[in-house]
Amino acid sequence: MRRLRTGAEQNRSGRLVGGAAVLAVGSIAAKIIGAFYRIPLTNILGAEGMGIYQLVFPVYALFMTLSTAGIPTALSRIVAEHRARGEGAKKYLAAALFTLVSLSALAGILVTALSHLLAAWQGNPAAAGGYAAVAPAVFFVGIVAGLRGWFQGEMYMLPTAISNVVEQAVKLGVGVGLAAALSPRGVNAAVSGALLGVTVSEFAAAAYLAVTYFVRSRKKKEPKEELRLNAGERRAMFRTAAPIALLGFILPLGAFFDSMIVVNALKWGGADTSAATAMYGLYSGPVTSLVNLPVVVVMSLAIAIVPSVSVSRSARDLGGILAKSRMSIKLVYLLGVPFALFLMVFGRNILAVMYPTFSSFELDTSARLLSVAAFGVVLTGATQIYVSLLQALDKTYSAIKSLFAAIVVKVVLSLVLVRYIGIMGAAVAGVGMSAVSLAAVTAVFHRLTDMRLEKNVAQTLVSGVIMALAALVVRTYVPTDIGAVLAGAAVCVIVYGWLTTLMGVFTEEEFIALPFGGRLVKVRRKIRFWENGQ
């Protein structure tokens, strides 16, 4: 009986990791393209131009979140639960898309109407033109979000992964192309061109997902379903969506408040508008994009977890919930810790390679910011997983309270620190918010499940510190920036991989559930040779 239960847990974890792996590969590819987009864009726009771009983007993200109102995640949960019972769910997709398109159209109109007022509040009126360029993207985001929610509910993660790549590739080609073409007209025109590229990229992603849906529907030849929800089903759907909408609203608030506070606080501290915008551009552009690179892998795992754990919850499968939760939390720390430490050690080298147009002052400032912001890789990534687990367990309101408290901490810290210690205050405030939110959501989750992974987390941290010491040696003796980054990456992978395997962070059963599990088990048995005789 024990053997059968273990096999079932492996299968559940395997499906979770498989779906997450598809999303992770797509997200990594998309993020790499996004990094290539940020590099030439930063070199074209400069620090001030990136500052204007980053004033607009968080507000766009907030309106984008408001327009989706938690419906895509609610849709993925409902579809997953209906499919698990062998029931149709297309009527939920029809209702979701109608609502999303209506809300997205309204949000796009509001962004355009409020553009001048928002730019004035942010301390730089030049941002107003960017809002007009990006406003139509909000409409297409509604279609993209609805179709992604449908596919994720069906545990079919490939369209989400490919649409991420399509979105970033189009943004790279169109956004950078327009920014370069319009740059002779000034920085404001170049920023508007880059933001217009965002609109075109969302249209391309929406078109791909729509075509994929119709082609797949024809191939499956499913029986026709009633596409109208009754009053009870509508109430159930929006009851599910309401807490998710609140949660989705809180998540981008940190970046939104940065866009409202940082430039103004720097000006209160004595900086002029141009210098304040440039400092904000360094923090929110190159630094934040590097920190978000590994976080996006964790987000892929978080997206895959919601429908998967929801199915286990509806089936009252406690073993499945615990197996998926344990695997996902371990993976977060396994991935987050080495990435964070690598950015701390090689941050200046990476920035020098990626942004050769930076002055020495801009490079030094960005490197200092990155050394602090890198803590957010682990803190933010782990927070996202715990929030997704609470969401899947129908404890979204607990996550909302935790994140709201963290946002309050960030706002207070930003208002005080940015004014008195400059742009470094924004990085410290961001890490403070992530630390408070992780502590709060972890405490709530542990009260619900009584699951403890302190030993595994400690093993991962010790392995990461030893890896960082080896990386410091490489950085000391390799003189070139690109050479130090490449050699350091190779050393870090070998040292960290060997140490985490030696310490037994993952069991053999958990290794089997991972991609290439059979090969990983063979490596594990060679490293932990003393177990072979048991």
Side-chain angles (χ1 to χ4, degrees):
M1 186 70 178
R2 182 179 180 83
R3 185 182 300 275
L4 288 173
R5 191 160 54 242
T6 302
E9 288 189 2
Q10 288 175 15
N11 183 56
R12 286 188 291 260
S13 295
R15 288 190 63 192
L16 168 64
V17 174
V22 170
L23 276 178
V25 170
S27 297
I28 291 169
K31 206 64 183 178
I32 290 172
I33 297 170
F36 280 111
Y37 164 72
R38 289 280 180 156
I39 295 167
L41 188 65
T42 301
N43 290 326
I44 291 168
L45 300 181
E48 183 180 359
M50 280 305 296
I52 297 172
Y53 181 95
Q54 288 299 140
L55 285 174
V56 174
F57 207 84
V59 180
Y60 156 71
L62 185 65
F63 273 90
M64 181 175 70
T65 302
L66 289 172
S67 70
T68 56
I71 294 171
T73 305
L75 177 64
S76 73
R77 285 177 54 178
I78 292 170
V79 170
E81 291 169 4
H82 276 67
R83 291 303 195 194
R85 295 193 297 264
E87 300 170 357
K90 284 189 177 179
K91 58 186 174 182
Y92 290 98
L93 173 63
L97 282 177
F98 176 79
T99 306
L100 287 168
V101 168
S102 301
L103 290 174
S104 298
L106 177 61
I109 293 169
L110 283 174
V111 169
T112 304
L114 298 174
S115 58
H116 291 283
L117 184 61
L118 288 168
W121 285 347
Q122 292 174 313
N124 194 329
Y131 285 111
V134 83
V138 181
F139 173 77
F140 298 115
V141 162
I143 301 171
V144 170
L147 290 172
R148 283 177 178 170
W150 168 262
F151 287 126
Q152 288 157 18
E154 290 203 317
M155 306 294 183
Y156 182 45
M157 305 297 177
L158 187 61
T160 296
I162 293 177
S163 66
N164 281 333
V165 175
V166 169
E167 187 180 323
Q168 292 296 333
V170 172
K171 189 165 68 172
L172 170 64
V174 177
V176 172
L178 287 174
L182 294 173
S183 60
R185 300 186 182 184
V187 66
N188 293 339
V191 170
S192 295
L195 289 165
L196 185 59
V198 175
T199 295
V200 177
S201 72
E202 293 297 342
F203 168 77
Y208 161 75
L209 287 167
V211 170
T212 301
Y213 172 78
F214 286 116
V215 170
R216 191 165 185 260
S217 295
R218 282 192 173 186
K219 284 183 178 179
K220 291 177 73 174
K221 296 180 180 178
E222 295 178 339
K224 289 187 177 180
E225 300 176 21
E226 171 63 43
L227 297 182
R228 187 184 296 274
L229 296 178
N230 60 43
E233 289 169 332
R234 280 196 300 271
R235 282 195 298 271
M237 183 172 182
F238 287 104
R239 204 162 42 238
T240 302
I244 298 170
L246 283 173
L247 180 63
F249 175 73
I250 288 175
L251 287 174
L253 273 182
F256 172 76
F257 281 123
D258 273 348
S259 74
M260 292 291 175
I261 292 172
V262 173
V263 171
N264 285 314
L266 288 170
K267 289 166 68 176
W268 297 335
D272 60 31
T273 299
S274 178
T277 304
M279 287 297 98
Y280 174 67
L282 291 176
Y283 169 62
S284 59
V287 172
T288 301
S289 63
L290 274 175
V291 171
N292 286 341
L293 179 60
V295 171
V296 76
V297 180
V298 177
M299 283 301 296
S300 302
L301 187 60
I303 290 170
I305 249 183
V306 174
S308 181
V309 176
S310 292
V311 170
S312 295
R313 180 180 62 84
S314 65
R316 300 183 183 277
D317 180 8
L318 181 59
I321 293 172
L322 291 177
K324 293 165 186 174
S325 301
R326 189 179 299 111
M327 174 69 84
S328 60
I329 294 167
K330 283 186 179 183
L331 282 171
V332 168
Y333 284 100
L334 184 78
L335 296 171
V337 167
F339 270 115
L341 292 170
F342 187 81
L343 289 176
M344 290 177 193
V345 174
F346 294 105
R348 196 182 194 283
N349 306 94
I350 295 169
L351 289 163
V353 171
M354 293 176 67
Y355 303 103
T357 60
F358 275 9
S359 66
S360 179
F361 171 76
E362 290 173 335
L363 196 58
D364 289 339
T365 302
S366 299
R368 287 198 304 273
L369 287 167
L370 185 57
S371 67
V372 175
F375 285 99
V377 174
V378 180
L379 299 173
T380 304
T383 298
Q384 294 287 359
I385 287 296
Y386 278 112
V387 166
S388 295
L389 288 169
L390 291 173
Q391 196 174 327
L393 293 172
D394 206 22
K395 297 294 181 182
T396 307
Y397 284 113
S398 297
I400 290 169
K401 293 174 186 175
S402 302
L403 293 180
F404 183 77
I407 290 290
V408 172
V409 170
K410 181 185 176 86
V411 169
V412 173
L413 288 176
S414 295
L415 287 169
V416 175
L417 295 179
V418 175
R419 181 172 183 177
Y420 292 105
I421 66 173
I423 194 62
M424 287 298 294
V428 173
V431 170
M433 180 190 74
S434 299
V436 170
S437 60
L438 177 58
V441 295
T442 302
V444 173
F445 182 76
H446 283 177
R447 282 201 304 270
L448 290 172
T449 64
D450 197 31
M451 187 174 69
R452 294 291 183 268
L453 293 171
E454 288 86 351
K455 179 182 176 182
N456 297 117
V457 173
Q459 290 170 330
T460 303
L461 290 173
V462 170
S463 300
V465 170
I466 296 172
M467 179 208 80
L469 293 174
L472 285 170
V473 174
V474 173
R475 192 187 69 179
T476 302
Y477 290 101
V478 179
T480 63
D481 291 316
I482 192 166
V485 171
L486 294 176
V491 169
C492 287
V493 168
I494 294 169
V495 172
Y496 185 74
W498 182 79
L499 284 170
T500 51
T501 305
L502 181 70
M503 293 185 181
V505 174
F506 280 86
T507 65
E508 190 166 298
E509 290 78 10
E510 288 171 330
F511 261 135
I512 291 172
L514 293 168
F516 309 106
R519 295 180 184 177
L520 291 172
V521 167
K522 290 179 182 178
V523 173
R524 185 182 189 277
R525 287 175 179 172
K526 288 181 180 178
I527 293 175
R528 295 175 64 87
F529 61 89
W530 62 88
E531 294 180 343
N532 295 339
Q534 295 180 1

